[in-house]
Amino acid sequence: MKIDVVSASAGTGKTYRLTGDLAKALLDGSARPEGVVAITYTVKAAGELESRIRAKLLEAGRPDLAGRVRDGYIGTIHSVCQRLLREFSLEAGISPYLEPIPESERKRLFDVALSSVLAGRSTDLNELARRLELEDWKKVLLSIVDAARSNGMDQAALQRSAVLSRDTMQKLLGKPSIDGPTYLKKLKAAHAKLQPTLDAQTAATTQQASKDRAAAGRAIGATFARGLTPSWKDQFQFAAAVDMKKLLAQSGDFVDLAYQHASCGAFHDDVLGMQGALFELAGRALVTFVQEKSTASVIDFGDMLAQARELLARPAVQAALGSRLDLVLVDEFQDTSPLQLAVVSALSDLAKRSVWVGDRKQAIFAFQGTDPELMAAAADKALAGRTPDILAMSWRSRKDLVALTSDLFAAALGPHGFPPEQVRLTAAKPDPKPFNKQPAFECWSWAGGNEERNGVKVTASEANALAAGVAELLEKPPLVRERGTGEVEPLRPATARDVAILARSNKRCQEIAAALRALGIAAKVSLAGVTLTPEGVLARAALALLADPQDGVAALQVGWLGGAAVGDPDAWLSRRLLEVSAWRKAVEAAEKKQERKPQLPPAFEDDPRIAGLRRVGPAARRLSPAQALDLAIRTAGLPDLVRAWPEPGQRLANLEALRAEAQAYEQLCDAQKSAATMLGLVEHLAGLGDDAEAGKQAAPSSEDAVSVVTWHKAKGLEWPVVVLSQLDHARSRGAFDVVVEGAPAFDFNTPLAGRWIRWWPWPYGGMSKGLALAGAAALTPEAEKAALSDHRERLRVLYVGFTRPRDLLVLAAK
């Protein structure tokens, strides 16, 4: 297997290099268009690569080759796998027409599988989770399942992981020194001895601390009275609260016992029991999940990878592809998941030559299942002692920014295996002369606290401080370069669209965007919950009214959000209530006379929007659901209506996002071989809710607005001015997270062999200080490895942020 590795730091012309390598191979005959596999991270990147290749070939006077480019395998890893499975469907034993289902449907099917597996077990698990203060054990279960799927593990592999996890957890816990029944009996007696004293103190004092201690003791007593064991966290916290000199005579027994709870057999049973139960459930859920998808005749993206991996192991497929594949190109190889790596390795093994292009310094998607350490091992194995081809010129940032980032991260990343030559860059273009007087980076600071403005108390926040900083920056805008291909790019004053603010979470992005808008500065931010916005609710209600003209709730929503109630909301609703009341009296009268009952008058029929939707209802039944949604939006006049609302650009874009969701619904129905209906689409939109991935709001791309994005979503993007916020973010991963432990050595033939999932339950909820278990865990190799991995992840995220700006970097901190 021959693999060339190209180290392409941020802004070094990676796409240009990929295009050049591929065009050269096609022109010199070392690769045929139909023998090329080019795997990109996004659909957009695949389209851009294909377009550039075709342009290069046309410039070289080879339209014959340009016309055959699409015969190759150019796309994301999932699209390449999908095409392979279609071409070799007979060998794989699957239908060539299977389409991957969206994430929302995958979660629904997994919930169905999980419900089947959990039948009759939830009560016991919930009680166990209560004692361990494990708030959402189903979330942990899903993490284990997702880790197994992204690493190609089956039920047997999860069983092995359960054994290894238990072994390491038992080593951490040590041997119990007191059995559970004895511990519990003594604890009850110690509590019974202490509680009367606490109650007496409460009666004799007004101190809140005494009242809190007594209340905590009564809560523990109530748990005992129900025949249950207090949570281990509650035991420890109560012991710490009563561990005081004046209570020592009464509290000593309880304190001594609670402080040694980690040596209690019942504690060990709870921790190890929850650990074993979730691994066992994960294995069963994995099997049931496969059965649910098989019954529904659907696959998801993980299935495509797993099936493609199995396909590429078949001798007949290997023979067919071995004679066909000339070149395998992998873009952003550092973001390849373990299962994707197995597929890529199998393809590279069949091809005459492979080129992997990426940057290990930008491997920041571990939370999505990637494994930077595994990819580093794969790259080292591919190089076999050779030096990677290094792209060392920055075509993005000005000279001072390149120098700052190079010096800072060469020192920071050096101890973690990054040679200086893979970090340091040189600016490819000279700075324009005006830049000599304009700094390349700034530091903004803000102070917390409260102040009074116009009689109103205002609390200082980072979001408001950032908005104020951007407002000041745009009042006296810095110069930025106009993107071009010349040696010296022209300068112009920066506008809002040239500025990006990076934050650590979607919630903080929303706060910053709101603060910017409050100052009259347009902001673009990616939001979840498009169906929960007013325009989303209105569009869905309009569609529901097309599907069912008698839907009173839908009519009410269309009337209310459409503005019919603006003048007098009470009178608007009262008219309908009186109308319904009169109808009920008419029904009663008809029943007494044994006459035909009158029909309920259509709700809000005097509203032209509602009447219009009911009028075109019959015509909508001849349309597809997506076409019906278009008709509903048009008939209800939503585009004109939302233009009069605040942030019209955002709302118009959200209507487009809804239309995209309608197309996704039709594709889902096609994949499931089920009928797509208007009511089905109404239900589909309702099910999206505030899903973080499905049903995202959109933002208009042409608006002159500040971009507010997370650090992770900024990867691959660039702006003239970038403001980095939340520099003190301290989300740390520890030894008690669900992690995948790697094999001692990497082998391209079996890239996923030896990997296993480790999970240690943390039995104290959000509490961590003063606990013996935390101290013992901190000394383990697992904790040391987790801390090192977390530190490296933070450095890589910082590197991504520092390399986004072209002309000005702003560091914002308190």
Side-chain angles (χ1 to χ4, degrees), residues 411-490:
L413 293 171
H416 300 284
F418 291 91
E421 60 270 18
Q422 292 186 27
V423 182
R424 292 189 177 279
L425 299 176
T426 302
K429 295 183 179 181
D431 287 350
K433 287 185 178 180
F435 272 2
N436 294 333
K437 299 180 181 180
Q438 180 173 300
F441 52 89
E442 298 179 2
C443 293
W444 294 354
S445 62
W446 63 282
N450 301 319
E451 64 178 63
E452 191 170 298
R453 294 183 183 178
N454 300 323
V456 179
K457 282 190 176 181
V458 179
T459 301
S461 69
E462 185 182 36
N464 290 330
L466 289 169
V470 171
E472 185 176 333
L473 181 142
L474 293 177
E475 284 180 7
K476 297 180 180 179
L479 295 175
V480 297
R481 291 171 295 168
E482 188 68 57
R483 192 68 157 159
T485 58
E487 183 67 18
V488 178
E489 296 166 323

Side-chain angles (χ1 to χ4, degrees), residues 10-11 394-398 481 483 717-718 803-806:
S394 173
W395 299 86
R396 173 183 297 167
S397 303
R398 55 184 289 193
R481 291 171 295 168
R483 192 68 157 159
L717 303 176
E718 62 178 80
T803 53
R804 296 310 98 193
R806 298 182 61 223

Side-chain angles (χ1 to χ4, degrees), residues 7 122 145 231 235 252 285 345 352 389 416 426 434 496 512 534 603 619 668 727:
S7 176
S122 292
V145 171
S231 75
Q235 294 177 39
S345 298
K352 297 179 178 66
D389 191 353
H416 300 284
T426 302
I512 295 171
L668 172 61
L727 290 165

Side-chain angles (χ1 to χ4, degrees), residues 573-587 600-601 603:
L573 186 57
S574 295
R575 285 197 299 272
R576 178 56 181 172
L577 295 176
L578 291 172
E579 193 174 51
V580 172
S581 178
W583 169 76
R584 286 176 176 167
K585 289 180 181 178
V587 169
L600 177 66

